[in-house]
Amino acid sequence: MDTFEYQALLDIRNATRQFAKTGQNTVPVELYREQQKELAGAQAYIAALQGQLADTKAQLKTAEDRARLHKMREEVETGNLANCKKLVAELRAYFRPKVARLEEENAALKQQLAGKA
């Protein structure tokens, strides 16, 4: 029971006691209807707030899911980057001797051409 409902029930009880003290055994219909309207309004307001709370919780869950996916994507990209760097290092280590040999052959060919000229 929410505080609005509780307050409305307290108001009804207090009004009932007040009328009982004056010798009346019932609450006037107008007062009862007024209190019921206030209670219905409070219940509608509570329902609207509960709907907003549910929407906010759903938005929060969506945001948390997106953040989790973003983190996973970053981890995958970081792993891919590390793998790429490792592959580049391996390829450089593999091709350096070949490039050095080709550069030596190129230099030797240039000297041969310079010697013939």
Side-chain angles (χ1 to χ4, degrees), residues 10 12-28:
L10 282 178
I12 291 170
R13 187 186 69 183
N14 290 338
T16 304
R17 285 185 181 167
Q18 184 179 9
F19 284 108
K21 287 181 183 176
T22 60
Q24 298 176 358
N25 292 331
T26 60
V27 175

Side-chain angles (χ1 to χ4, degrees), residues 1 14 22 28 35 46 48 52 55 62 69-70 77 79 94 100:
M1 183 181 309
N14 290 338
T22 60
Q35 293 296 326
I46 290 168
Q52 289 177 359
D55 291 344
T62 301
L69 286 174
H70 181 71
E77 289 174 359
Y94 178 77

Side-chain angles (χ1 to χ4, degrees), residues 54-65:
D55 291 344
T56 303
K57 284 182 179 179
Q59 290 173 354
L60 177 62
K61 179 158 179 22
T62 301
E64 288 172 344
D65 289 345

Side-chain angles (χ1 to χ4, degrees), residues 86-106:
K86 181 181 174 185
L87 182 59
V88 165
E90 289 174 1
L91 289 172
R92 283 186 179 153
Y94 178 77
F95 284 109
R96 272 196 184 128
K98 292 184 180 192
V99 169
R101 184 179 48 82
L102 290 173
E103 286 176 348
E104 288 173 4
E105 289 177 11
N106 190 27

Side-chain angles (χ1 to χ4, degrees), residues 33-85:
R33 287 183 182 152
E34 181 182 320
Q35 293 296 326
Q36 288 296 345
K37 286 180 185 176
E38 288 180 17
L39 182 59
Q43 289 172 333
Y45 180 69
I46 290 168
L49 288 177
Q50 288 173 339
Q52 289 177 359
L53 178 62
D55 291 344
T56 303
K57 284 182 179 179
Q59 290 173 354
L60 177 62
K61 179 158 179 22
T62 301
E64 288 172 344
D65 289 345
R66 285 183 180 165
R68 198 170 20 261
L69 286 174
H70 181 71
K71 183 180 177 186
M72 289 171 55
R73 189 175 301 126
E74 282 181 347
E75 289 172 356
V76 168
E77 289 174 359
T78 302
N80 287 345
L81 181 61
N83 288 340
C84 288
K85 287 181 179 179

